[in-house]
Amino acid sequence: MSKKTEQAAVRLRRKCRADAGMVTSEYAMGIIAAVGFALLLYEVVTSGQVRTELQDIVKKALSARM
């Protein structure tokens, strides 16, 4: 094998081994964070005051004249 071919092979191996994304544990942490945020948002939206405000908005929208 020539020196140039060997160097090219080394460069190719290094490039192929480079990390290009998240590992499984990072995906898991991202999913856990997303679920936690979704639960928090659900609690806020289903709270009494927010629910009343949303119902008022829907009632106004449905009773609007065109």
Side-chain angles (χ1 to χ4, degrees):
M1 193 183 264
S2 73
K3 185 87 168 168
K4 284 186 177 184
T5 306
E6 190 174 325
Q7 289 173 345
V10 169
R11 283 195 305 271
L12 181 62
R13 271 189 245 122
R14 285 183 187 154
K15 193 166 198 140
C16 290
R17 290 181 183 167
D19 289 339
M22 293 193 301
V23 294
T24 305
S25 61
E26 290 171 332
Y27 279 117
M29 293 304 293
I31 289 170
I32 290 170
V35 169
F37 182 72
L39 287 172
L40 178 66
L41 186 60
Y42 176 78
E43 289 295 321
V44 169
V45 170
T46 58
S47 69
Q49 184 178 359
V50 174
R51 178 180 278 173
T52 303
E53 292 293 327
L54 289 174
Q55 287 175 344
D56 289 343
I57 291 170
V58 171
K59 285 179 186 176
K60 286 179 186 176
L62 293 176
S63 65
R65 292 183 176 225
M66 300 231 175

